[in-house]
Amino acid sequence: MTISRDQVRHVAKLARLALTEEEIERLGAQLDSILEAVGKVAELDLDDVPPTSHPLDLVNVFADDEPRPSLDRVDALANAPEAEDGAFKVPPT
């Protein structure tokens, strides 16, 4: 499959990219190479390969939340430009 210059321009427009003629030519060749590589995957016999959403097992790397001492409210608000009722006061949007 060959990518046309118009298709490269269309993709660039979707990505909001302003490309020079040289960039259109270069990116067209690069997109052709990418499509060729993807096409090779389509030729593989994958009947015995189960569908997966991710090639590796997903593991939660977050620790459990545990309460611990934190910054005192007075200290946290000490450098605030404005505070009200023990909280940061911000201008309305």
Side-chain angles (χ1 to χ4, degrees):
M1 177 177 209
T2 302
I3 298 292
S4 71
R5 294 176 68 78
D6 288 337
Q7 289 171 319
V8 174
R9 284 189 190 98
H10 179 70
V11 171
K13 182 179 178 183
L14 293 174
R16 297 177 187 225
L17 298 174
L19 300 178
T20 65
E21 289 301 315
E22 295 81 22
E23 290 171 325
I24 291 172
E25 191 69 35
R26 182 171 38 92
L27 291 174
Q30 290 174 351
L31 288 171
D32 280 339
S33 297
I34 291 169
L35 288 176
E36 183 180 331
V38 170
K40 289 180 182 179
V41 173
E43 297 172 7
L44 297 174
D45 179 19
L46 302 174
D47 292 336
D48 296 334
V49 179
T52 57
S53 63
H54 200 276
L56 304 173
D57 291 334
L58 297 177
V59 178
N60 187 356
V61 296
F62 298 108
D64 292 333
D65 289 334
E66 295 181 17
R68 61 182 179 175
S70 62
L71 189 61
D72 181 71
R73 184 180 298 213
V74 173
D75 293 335
L77 296 172
N79 291 322
E82 290 189 60
E84 184 177 288
D85 298 326
F88 292 98
K89 183 176 180 183
V90 295
T93 56

